[in-house]
Amino acid sequence: MKVLLTGATSGIGFETLKQLVNNGCFVYAIGRDFSKIELFLKENRSSIETYEFDLAIVDNIENIFSKLDLDNGKLDAMIHCAGIEETTPLIQSTPEKLDHMFNINVFSGIELLRSFSKKKYCNDGASVVFLSSVMGILGQPGKIGYCASKAAVLGVVKSSALELARRKIRVNAVLPGIVNTPMTKLLFESINESQIDKIKEMHPLGFGEVEDVVPTILFLISDKARWITGQSFVIDGGYSVH
Amino acid sequence: MDKKSFILKLQNDLELETEINETSILKDLDEWDSMTEMVLIGLVNEEFSVRLNHDDIEKISTVDSLIEIIGFDKFD
Ligand SMILES: NC(=O)c1ccc[n+]([C@@H]2O[C@H](COP(=O)([O-])OP(=O)(O)OC[C@H]3O[C@@H](n4cnc5c(N)ncnc54)[C@H](OP(=O)(O)O)[C@@H]3O)[C@@H](O)[C@H]2O)c1
């Protein structure tokens, strides 16, 4: 299976990369700073091709596809893990800030999908997974841009699932609660212990680990999920049940 | 940014109704709550590229103490 993966250098994306390689997939990995996973890349050179790319430059995304070496077959799946999270209260949510957030969390995803879904790049029956967030269906103070962008991803998923169904291309979203990654480490640095405990309490099964999220992503790109499209899968240790 | 403009920016962005100066105790302000804290973190990050963590927030008392945490070298 040939998989295009963004956010491959960290957190959920890196764990996805590891599990894809372990399952015998060939991965076209997109990230900005591959030095973070240098050792893993060295050990798995034959299964991974890396592309250093800043997804904020949405207009150039199509160029990535023209560079992919697809001589031995087209893509079977795309997993869009790259994303940014930011705490920005409404008063500071300027168009410029929202633009940046939407560029990476939403527009880059649409542009990746627009190219990926072309007949020359992906096979019929291919599968796409977007990383939304439980924040795409819930709210939190200071998260207007993040919540709005992750909710927008769900719109993209539903609409494109319908549009691409005629080629049996499936599009789904995964919505994690708080998972221990470099992204959440940064978030926790700005709040105190008692605030962290409060957030933890809201997750009946505690905070998640990347290993708790990736199996669902792999399931969704597998043939076992061939009748599933346009759906959102919440993986949040019970957070959204409250 | 000079100290005076910073205090003015604080006054504006935190939407404070009483006038503040270097010796005002931020946490005693009527407007001080978790949202104000969030706005302050955003403001300092944007203006000075300094990310205030929860220890920094704990340490803040007066406006001057905030300026010290941000770093005197960041002010003209
Ligand atoms: N962790 C959570 O609790 C959680 C919860 C819900 C949803 N999510 C979502 O899950 C996804 C992965 O999160 P994570 O926690 O694994 O985050 P992470 O550890 O911070 O990793 C983010 C990844 O996105 C890439 N990225 C960011 N900006 C980019 C840009 N401009 N161009 C190219 N790549 C860029 C980074 O690449 P470089 O490092 O190479 O720049 C990195 O690989 C995100 O979409 C996030 O919103 C996470």
Side-chain angles (χ1 to χ4, degrees):
Chain A
M1 195 177 206
K2 293 182 149 208
V3 184
L4 180 74
L5 171 69
T6 71
T9 53
S10 177
I12 297 170
F14 182 35
E15 180 60 23
T16 305
L17 175 67
K18 288 192 223 166
Q19 295 200 20
L20 285 170
V21 167
N22 280 345
N23 289 356
C25 297
F26 186 87
V27 185
Y28 299 90
I30 299 174
R32 285 176 305 183
D33 180 8
F34 282 101
S35 68
K36 291 189 282 194
I37 59 165
E38 208 170 29
L39 193 67
F40 180 79
L41 292 175
K42 245 185 213 162
E43 287 164 357
N44 295 281
R45 216 171 266 152
S46 59
S47 312
I48 306 167
E49 223 166 80
T50 59
Y51 296 85
E52 217 175 282
F53 189 83
D54 183 352
L55 290 167
I57 313 165
V58 179
D59 286 346
N60 284 353
I61 287 178
E62 196 161 2
N63 291 341
I64 305 175
F65 287 82
S66 57
K67 284 186 200 142
L68 300 182
D69 177 11
L70 298 175
D71 285 349
N72 301 323
K74 294 188 275 188
L75 294 163
D76 301 296
M78 178 172 85
I79 304 167
H80 185 35
C81 281
I84 51 168
E85 197 266 354
E86 221 174 57
T87 303
T88 311
L90 178 60
I91 199 158
Q92 286 158 348
S93 295
T94 55
E96 191 191 346
K97 281 215 152 161
L98 294 176
D99 239 27
H100 183 61
M101 175 79 75
F102 268 72
N103 254 344
I104 293 158
N105 288 0
V106 186
F107 300 142
S108 75
I110 298 175
E111 185 58 11
L112 282 161
L113 185 60
R114 193 176 74 80
S115 295
F116 174 86
S117 63
K118 288 184 181 173
K119 281 188 183 153
K120 59 179 169 180
Y121 295 130
C122 86
N123 289 311
D124 286 359
S127 171
V128 179
V129 176
F130 281 98
L131 264 290
S132 172
S133 162
V134 79
M135 284 303 131
I137 51 169
L138 301 173
Q140 209 172 58
K143 300 284 175 196
I144 299 215
Y146 188 68
C147 289
S149 71
K150 291 301 182 182
V153 168
L154 302 180
V156 173
V157 164
K158 284 184 250 186
S159 191
S160 58
L162 294 175
E163 204 169 310
L164 298 171
R166 65 196 167 90
R167 282 184 55 211
K168 302 266 188 259
I169 296 173
R170 300 179 297 102
V171 189
N172 291 290
V174 166
L175 288 66
I178 291 200
V179 178
N180 285 317
T181 69
M183 180 182 277
T184 37
K185 192 165 170 263
L186 210 63
L187 168 77
F188 287 154
E189 271 168 15
S190 63
I191 56 180
N192 62 39
E193 292 281 312
S194 81
Q195 286 169 308
I196 296 176
D197 286 344
K198 236 194 227 161
I199 304 174
K200 197 168 191 174
E201 266 168 36
M202 289 168 80
H203 288 72
L205 299 180
F207 293 145
E209 300 299 333
V210 287
E211 293 84 357
D212 299 320
V213 176
V214 175
T216 305
I217 299 176
L218 297 195
F219 166 71
L220 286 171
I221 63 162
S222 78
D223 201 41
K224 291 181 190 138
R226 66 181 187 190
W227 206 46
I228 301 176
T229 196
Q231 302 305 310
S232 305
F233 293 84
V234 176
I235 311 169
D236 66 352
Y239 177 83
S240 57
V241 178
H242 287 287
Chain B
M1 183 181 281
D2 62 37
K3 225 163 140 180
K4 208 167 144 203
S5 327
F6 176 61
I7 293 174
L8 210 67
K9 183 140 184 69
L10 270 183
Q11 182 100 38
N12 268 330
D13 283 19
L14 304 187
E15 296 189 288
L16 306 177
E17 294 195 349
T18 45
E19 212 164 288
I20 54 165
N21 57 40
E22 289 99 322
T23 58
S24 307
I25 298 181
L26 287 165
K27 288 176 189 164
D28 283 352
L29 296 167
D30 283 347
E31 290 89 349
W32 188 266
D33 64 8
S34 59
M35 257 343 268
T36 323
E37 241 177 65
M38 225 183 256
V39 175
L40 180 66
I41 293 172
L43 184 160
V44 171
N45 192 15
E46 196 148 295
E47 291 297 329
F48 305 99
S49 302
V50 171
R51 210 174 239 281
L52 298 177
N53 60 30
H54 59 87
D55 287 341
D56 299 326
I57 297 283
E58 296 272 287
K59 275 189 232 148
I60 296 169
S61 55
T62 58
V63 172
D64 260 344
S65 76
L66 170 62
I67 291 173
E68 190 181 341
I69 290 168
I70 294 169
F72 292 123
D73 55 315
K74 305 255 178 196
F75 292 84
D76 313 329

